[in-house]
Amino acid sequence: MDTSCAPQGPKLLGPSNSGRPKMPSFLRVPGAARVKNKRPSAVQITAEQILLEARDQRGTELRPPKRKIVDSEELAERRVRKRKEFEDMVRRAASPSVWLKYARWEESQRDMARSRSVFERALDTFAHRDHTLWLNYAEFEMRNRSVKHARNVWDRAVAVLPLVDQLWYKYIHMEELLGAVTNARQVFERWTRWARGPARRAGAAAWKSFVKFELRYGEVGRARDIYERLVREQPRPGAFVQYAKFEMKHGEVSRARRVYEQAMDVLDPEDEDAELLLLSFANFVETHKEVDRARAIYRFGLDRLPMAKTKELYSNYLAFEKMFGDQKRIEDTLMMKKRLLYEDEVTSNPLNYDGWFDYLRLEESLGNKDRIKEVYKRAVSNVPPAEEKRYWKRYIYIWIMRALFEEIDAQDVEQARAVYRDCLKQIPHRKFTFAKVWLMAAQFEIRQKNLKSARQILGNAIGMAPKGKIFKKYIEFEMQLGNIDRCRILYEKFIEWDPSNCYAWLKYAEMEKNLRETDRARTIFELAIAQPALDTPELLWKEYLNFEKDENELGRTRELYERLLDKTKHLKVWISYADFEASAGLRNEDTGCEKSKNAIKNQDSLMERVQRSRAVFERAFDYFSNSAPELQEEMSILLKEWLGKEISFGGIGDVSLVQSKTLRKVMRKRPIPTEEHCSRRFDELADGMVADEVGMTPKIMKAAYEWKKRKSGGFDTSQSLTDIPKWHDTAGVF
């Protein structure tokens, strides 16, 4: 059967003749064309050659055909069309350049009225502030010889824009070309009147041009009158220098000198041209061989002008002194060079307070008080950028140095008071303060015998930024004046501000103790130890115990020791308690007669003291044995003290009691673990303590008893316990 015409379905992908499967056309990715010949061409094409060929093949530019106007109707039609284009342009983008093109086109058509109308429309629309449009308008009138119209335009232009010097120059130039000198002078008068107002510095060109105008016509007297008006209305250094040079040029030396002297009377040191004036004056007098006068001018400028504006003046002065001065003057001038170096340093980095310190020391060594005050004022004006105390520590010392200078060197009390006041206002007391400044301000008022102001300053310090140092000095100040009630109030404020400060409690109680106010002092101590937190509670308890001992309140002292032991079981507390019991009731101030009368009574009380002291040691030993067995070192120290105390008791002391409580050293072996878990190595450990550790060798004990026997032949019960050597003293005998 013939199947050539039968419809065939899609062909299945199968192996091709080459053995590889065929890929559908829609899945094929175009690859790079194969290059058969990869050899370089014999003729290489460069970019320059391509550009040259492009320029040669460029055709002629297409230009619109030229049209020739043959009759008036066609000309009128073209003018209407052109005017419509300009009107559309100024309506779409009304810029001054479009209006100017419009007006010039009307001028080219010799239609002056229309051109003038275009200028007026432009000025009325928005461009009255554009001086270029005014200039073109006036030049348009001048080209067409409309003098009256030109004057009108110039008058309107300088009235609208009086600060544009070009309009005035062009206006005056037109009048000079016309030979109207009087009119030009009137224009200058109007210009200088504008220069007297807010634009006085910008109007310096008006006065200078006015003088040149008069000199062109030989009117020297008029020019001098103009300078007189200038220095009277604008007494600036630059104006005086110009006037003086004018007089020198015309040979009027006396007039020039008078001008310089007048300038020095009205000189403002802050003016930027002050240095120029002084240099000009110094060169003037130096030219006329007035050396002393020139030196005085240089010194005047260096003393009055700010240091940043005297670099050129100083260099000229140094050259002047090298030429005319002696060795001392040259050295003084070189010292001023250091001033310039410091000035550059503090100007480049005003927050470098070390540089300010060096600068101030230099100025103080030179001794010019006015300049020293100026440098201090500049230094304190550089406030640290951040309100952090570490940035203010160096800065605040500048204020302190300034206040001391005003008080001691300048002898200006009011100024020193103002410095302290300004310094305290400058410090941000809400974040941090400086107690030194408060105290120095108060001490300054005390030196001036103004106690009320001193109290006010210290009171403000306590109210705004309380500090412990301020409280201490304020209390000391009132104590010297004998104001006890004020001291009590201040101590209460001190304690209220910082109840954990043991210093305040101790000083308050000490004051009451010195005043023999025993109940007040005891109350203060009770309030102090009742505080939940204290910075040094051990000092407070110690002073309270000493206070009760001095008052011979044995019962209160024992009660205090018991209360202290409830809070802490420290070894020193136990030892102090035992020492107290051993010496309770002794009077070191008793005479020998009193001792003999009270010998029997003392013998009875001695046994009681020994028993009480021994009981304290017993309690301490029980505590360290049962409650704190790990404190072996404290146990050793306790036994040593106990042994020393028993030795000091003499015949009634029981050393065996301490010996029975000593522990023997017990040696035991502990296996050392190894990797095989079956170690044959052992380490020796010691538990307890030997008698030698507490100083109880038989030799020392025997020596102590023999020494005591040789000294007194027995123990004297009336002897004070303080006369009996401690156990460590007996060891040194042998």
Side-chain angles (χ1 to χ4, degrees):
M1 184 176 64
D2 188 6
T3 59
S4 60
C5 295
Q8 297 178 1
K11 294 182 179 181
L12 298 176
L13 294 176
S16 61
N17 296 332
S18 60
R20 290 180 300 176
K22 293 183 178 180
M23 185 178 292
S25 60
F26 63 88
L27 293 178
R28 292 175 185 172
V29 179
R34 294 184 179 181
V35 179
K36 296 181 179 180
N37 188 2
K38 296 184 179 181
R39 290 180 299 175
S41 176
V43 179
Q44 297 293 322
I45 300 175
T46 62
E48 183 181 3
Q49 182 179 357
I50 295 173
L51 293 175
L52 290 175
E53 291 179 356
R55 188 181 64 178
D56 294 340
Q57 296 176 3
R58 184 177 58 187
T60 60
E61 297 181 359
L62 298 177
R63 297 179 180 179
K66 295 183 179 180
R67 295 181 59 186
K68 293 184 179 180
I69 300 174
V70 296
D71 55 3
S72 59
E73 292 181 359
E74 190 174 355
L75 177 61
E77 181 182 356
R78 183 178 180 279
R79 286 176 177 174
V80 170
R81 186 171 61 253
K82 194 70 173 177
R83 288 190 182 102
K84 185 176 182 302
E85 292 177 1
F86 277 116
E87 291 293 339
D88 293 339
M89 290 172 63
V90 298
R91 190 165 50 249
R92 288 195 302 268
S95 63
S97 60
V98 175
W99 286 104
L100 189 58
K101 290 179 181 179
Y102 191 5
R104 287 177 178 174
W105 181 82
E106 293 290 356
E107 183 184 2
S108 66
Q109 301 299 317
R110 310 304 301 169
D111 195 342
M112 305 305 168
R114 285 183 178 274
S115 179
R116 190 175 291 115
S117 175
V118 171
F119 275 116
E120 292 294 338
R121 287 172 59 194
L123 294 174
D124 292 340
T125 304
F126 72 95
H128 61 283
R129 294 294 179 185
D130 189 357
H131 70 280
T132 58
L133 193 60
W134 285 105
L135 289 173
N136 285 279
Y137 190 9
E139 290 174 355
F140 157 74
E141 298 291 357
M142 292 168 62
R143 282 195 302 269
N144 293 281
R145 303 180 182 276
S146 299
V147 178
K148 292 183 179 180
H149 282 286
R151 283 198 179 101
N152 184 20
V153 173
W154 287 123
D155 288 336
R156 291 164 59 194
V158 296
V160 175
L161 302 172
L163 301 182
V164 181
D165 294 341
Q166 190 176 7
L167 297 177
W168 294 102
Y169 282 128
K170 292 286 187 178
Y171 191 6
I172 295 167
H173 180 63
M174 185 194 75
E175 297 293 351
E176 284 196 77
L177 290 177
L178 295 174
V181 179
T182 305
N183 292 344
R185 188 173 287 117
Q186 291 177 357
V187 175
F188 269 118
E189 292 291 342
R190 292 171 58 189
W191 191 7
T192 54
R193 280 198 298 272
W194 272 103
R196 298 170 194 168
R200 55 170 47 187
R201 289 196 176 273
W207 297 96
K208 189 175 182 180
S209 301
F210 198 2
V211 171
K212 290 182 178 179
F213 168 78
E214 296 294 353
L215 292 178
R216 280 199 300 270
Y217 293 96
E219 298 289 346
V220 179
R222 286 181 178 273
R224 183 175 289 112
D225 293 339
I226 294 170
Y227 272 122
E228 288 290 342
R229 289 164 50 195
L230 173 60
V231 297
R232 184 173 58 253
E233 296 176 4
Q234 300 181 15
R236 295 182 292 105
F240 283 105
V241 172
Q242 293 177 10
Y243 189 12
K245 289 182 178 180
F246 165 78
E247 296 293 356
M248 286 290 295
K249 184 177 180 180
H250 293 84
E252 297 290 342
V253 178
S254 59
R255 287 180 179 271
R257 188 186 304 278
R258 188 166 59 251
V259 170
Y260 279 121
E261 292 174 354
Q262 183 182 357
M264 299 300 289
D265 293 337
V266 297
L267 178 64
D268 182 10
E270 298 297 331
D271 197 297
E272 59 184 9
D273 295 331
E275 184 182 18
L276 175 64
L277 173 62
L278 292 168
L279 287 173
S280 179
F281 192 11
N283 292 332
F284 170 77
V285 296
E286 186 178 348
T287 304
H288 293 83
K289 307 302 181 182
E290 299 179 15
V291 178
D292 294 337
R293 193 180 183 91
R295 182 177 290 112
I297 294 170
Y298 280 121
R299 298 292 300 182
F300 176 84
L302 293 173
D303 292 340
R304 297 294 181 86
L305 266 63
M307 192 58 59
K309 300 179 180 179
T310 57
K311 293 183 179 180
E312 187 176 356
L313 188 66
Y314 173 77
S315 61
N316 286 15
Y317 181 41
L318 182 59
F320 170 81
E321 289 294 350
K322 289 180 180 179
M323 186 179 300
F324 300 102
D326 54 6
Q327 182 178 359
K328 185 178 182 304
R329 294 184 183 277
I330 295 175
E331 290 177 356
D332 293 341
T333 308
L334 293 175
M335 183 65 69
M336 298 176 67
K337 187 175 183 180
K338 292 184 178 181
R339 179 186 294 166
L340 289 177
L341 295 176
Y342 286 132
E343 183 66 30
D344 292 339
E345 182 179 356
V346 299
T347 302
S348 60
N349 188 8
L351 297 179
N352 182 15
Y353 300 117
D354 292 332
W356 284 109
F357 287 140
D358 297 337
Y359 193 6
L360 289 167
R361 292 190 191 99
L362 174 66
E363 292 295 343
E364 289 178 354
S365 64
L366 296 176
N368 190 334
K369 294 183 180 180
D370 294 335
R371 186 174 289 276
I372 295 172
K373 290 183 178 181
E374 178 190 353
V375 176
Y376 270 120
K377 185 177 180 180
R378 292 173 53 199
V380 298
S381 63
N382 299 294
V383 183
E387 292 185 351
E388 296 183 18
K389 193 168 184 177
R390 58 194 179 98
Y391 297 121
W392 286 67
K393 288 182 178 180
R394 302 291 289 167
Y395 169 72
I396 211 67
Y397 272 98
I398 300 179
W399 281 101
I400 295 173
M401 292 171 57
R402 184 185 180 188
L404 295 176
F405 167 78
E406 295 290 351
E407 180 186 359
I408 299 172
D409 297 335
Q411 299 292 326
D412 193 345
V413 176
E414 293 300 327
Q415 185 63 27
R417 183 177 287 111
V419 170
Y420 280 118
R421 183 171 58 251
D422 295 340
C423 178
L424 291 173
K425 289 181 180 178
Q426 193 76 34
I427 300 173
H429 300 289
R430 298 299 179 187
K431 293 188 177 181
F432 59 85
T433 190
F434 291 92
K436 188 178 187 66
V437 180
W438 289 105
L439 296 176
M440 291 189 68
Q443 290 168 359
F444 165 77
E445 296 295 346
I446 293 173
R447 288 193 295 271
Q448 306 305 320
K449 299 181 180 180
N450 192 352
L451 302 183
K452 182 178 179 182
S453 297
R455 286 194 179 100
Q456 184 178 2
I457 291 172
L458 294 173
N460 291 336
I462 292 174
M464 296 175 60
K467 295 191 75 174
K469 187 184 296 184
I470 298 175
F471 278 108
K472 295 175 186 178
K473 292 296 182 180
Y474 195 2
I475 293 169
E476 181 181 350
F477 164 63
E478 296 293 350
M479 186 67 72
Q480 291 175 354
L481 296 177
N483 296 324
I484 303 301
D485 293 336
R486 287 181 179 271
C487 292
R488 288 193 176 108
I489 295 173
L490 290 173
Y491 273 122
E492 291 173 2
K493 294 289 185 182
F494 195 180
I495 292 169
E496 182 181 355
W497 170 66
D498 187 8
S500 64
N501 192 337
C502 289
Y503 175 86
W505 291 104
L506 291 174
K507 287 296 180 180
Y508 192 8
E510 182 181 354
M511 183 190 73
E512 298 293 353
K513 177 183 176 182
N514 294 334
L515 296 173
R516 305 308 302 166
E517 294 287 347
T518 306
D519 295 336
R520 282 180 175 271
R522 185 175 289 113
T523 304
I524 292 168
F525 277 121
E526 287 293 336
L527 291 174
I529 63 176
Q531 298 300 318
L534 293 170
D535 50 4
T536 54
E538 63 278 2
L539 297 179
L540 189 62
W541 281 94
K542 182 179 179 181
E543 290 297 326
Y544 192 8
L545 290 167
N546 292 335
F547 167 75
E548 296 293 357
K549 291 176 185 178
D550 294 339
E551 296 295 329
N552 203 21
E553 294 287 345
L554 303 182
R556 291 181 180 274
T557 307
R558 290 190 183 94
E559 182 184 357
L560 277 178
Y561 272 116
E562 294 296 336
R563 291 164 62 185
L564 180 58
L565 288 173
D566 292 340
K567 290 180 175 294
T568 178
K569 296 295 193 297
H570 197 275
L571 175 63
K572 290 184 178 180
V573 178
W574 291 106
I575 295 174
S576 177
Y577 191 6
D579 290 340
F580 161 72
E581 293 293 358
S583 60
L586 290 180
R587 299 277 185 170
N588 294 330
E589 66 273 13
D590 291 344
T591 61
C593 182
E594 292 175 348
K595 288 182 180 180
S596 61
K597 292 179 181 180
N598 300 325
I600 300 175
K601 183 178 180 180
N602 290 340
Q603 186 175 6
D604 296 336
S605 62
L606 177 60
M607 292 301 298
E608 182 180 358
R609 293 197 302 271
V610 171
Q611 292 175 1
R612 286 182 178 276
S613 177
R614 190 174 293 154
V616 174
F617 278 117
E618 290 282 356
R619 291 173 57 191
F621 180 79
D622 293 340
Y623 168 74
F624 285 110
S625 299
N626 301 325
S627 300
E630 69 279 0
L631 302 177
Q632 296 294 326
E633 185 177 358
E634 284 77 358
M635 174 75 77
S636 175
I637 297 173
L638 177 67
L639 292 174
K640 289 178 182 180
E641 291 292 333
W642 191 359
L643 178 62
K645 190 63 65 178
E646 293 292 345
I647 294 174
S648 67
F649 291 152
I652 62 175
D654 190 359
V655 178
S656 61
L657 180 63
V658 183
Q659 290 178 339
S660 64
K661 296 184 180 298
T662 57
L663 302 178
R664 286 294 177 181
K665 183 179 293 187
V666 179
M667 303 302 296
R668 63 183 179 86
K669 292 184 178 182
R670 181 186 65 179
I672 300 177
T674 58
E675 295 180 356
E676 292 78 8
H677 301 286
C678 54
S679 174
R680 295 184 179 180
R681 298 175 58 191
F682 296 90
D683 187 14
E684 293 186 354
L685 299 177
D687 289 341
M689 65 190 75
V690 295
D692 295 341
E693 295 181 1
V694 295
M696 294 185 298
T697 59
K699 183 178 180 180
I700 293 178
M701 292 296 298
K702 182 178 179 181
Y705 280 114
E706 289 179 355
W707 174 84
K708 186 63 180 177
K709 184 177 180 180
R710 287 197 305 269
K711 183 177 180 182
S712 58
F715 182 74
D716 187 3
T717 57
S718 63
Q719 189 177 10
S720 175
L721 293 178
T722 57
D723 298 333
I724 300 175
K726 301 293 183 180
W727 65 272
H728 49 76
D729 295 332
T730 60
V733 176
F734 302 96

